[in-house]
Amino acid sequence: MLNPDWNDDELLIEALRAAFADADEVPSAFLDVGKAAFAWRTIDAELAALTYDSALEPPAALAIRSESAILRSLTFASDGWTVELELTPDAVLGQLDPPEVGTVVARGDGGQLIAADIDELGFFVLGPPPTVPYRLVCTTRSGTTILTGWITP
């Protein structure tokens, strides 16, 4: 096909079909670079480390708790910020301290899972709770972003 007649629709479609059939998969190195670049999107976030997890308490300490609906309590802290969470069967209850209006997003490996507003007292409710490992990204009205460690359901 040295001088194809591109006015022939059938010939054009066949050439396009052949071109797409020859297309290779995206090289894994390209995928790795893309994933690494995506990870940098939160480079300016305050990284909040886990400072308390009720799942790590001895069983005797858990027996005296009266809040049977709370499955787990977590506290994440960074320089100047605290995110306190209570995981229940129906929701993730949280509070940002110091309180500031904003938004919170639960993100898994595949992106955003669920989002909610943070009210003027710093409270938020995410429901239903994610069923896969996730991190919370809290963004305040003043522009601060707080990123928690990974939470496993």
Side-chain angles (χ1 to χ4, degrees), residues 69-87:
I70 298 172
L71 299 177
R72 189 171 168 201
S73 296
L74 301 165
T75 302
F76 293 91
S78 71
D79 190 25
W81 295 94
T82 303
V83 181
E84 295 193 25
L85 303 174
E86 292 183 346
L87 309 181

Side-chain angles (χ1 to χ4, degrees), residues 32-114:
D32 293 340
V33 169
K35 289 176 184 178
F38 184 70
W40 278 85
R41 75 193 183 290
T42 55
I43 193 66
D44 292 332
E46 293 281 336
L47 300 177
L50 181 66
T51 58
Y52 173 75
D53 186 346
S54 64
L56 302 177
E57 288 184 359
L62 296 175
I64 60 172
R65 295 194 72 154
S66 62
E67 305 100 9
S68 59
I70 298 172
L71 299 177
R72 189 171 168 201
S73 296
L74 301 165
T75 302
F76 293 91
S78 71
D79 190 25
W81 295 94
T82 303
V83 181
E84 295 193 25
L85 303 174
E86 292 183 346
L87 309 181
T88 72
D90 301 323
V92 176
L93 311 173
Q95 183 174 18
L96 183 61
D97 186 35
E100 188 172 342
V101 172
T103 59
V104 59
V105 175
R107 290 195 173 277
D109 276 341
Q112 180 174 319
L113 301 171
I114 191 167

Side-chain angles (χ1 to χ4, degrees), residues 106-113 128-135 150-153:
R107 290 195 173 277
D109 276 341
Q112 180 174 319
L113 301 171
T131 58
V132 296
Y134 60 96
R135 303 176 89 170
W150 287 95
I151 303 165
T152 54

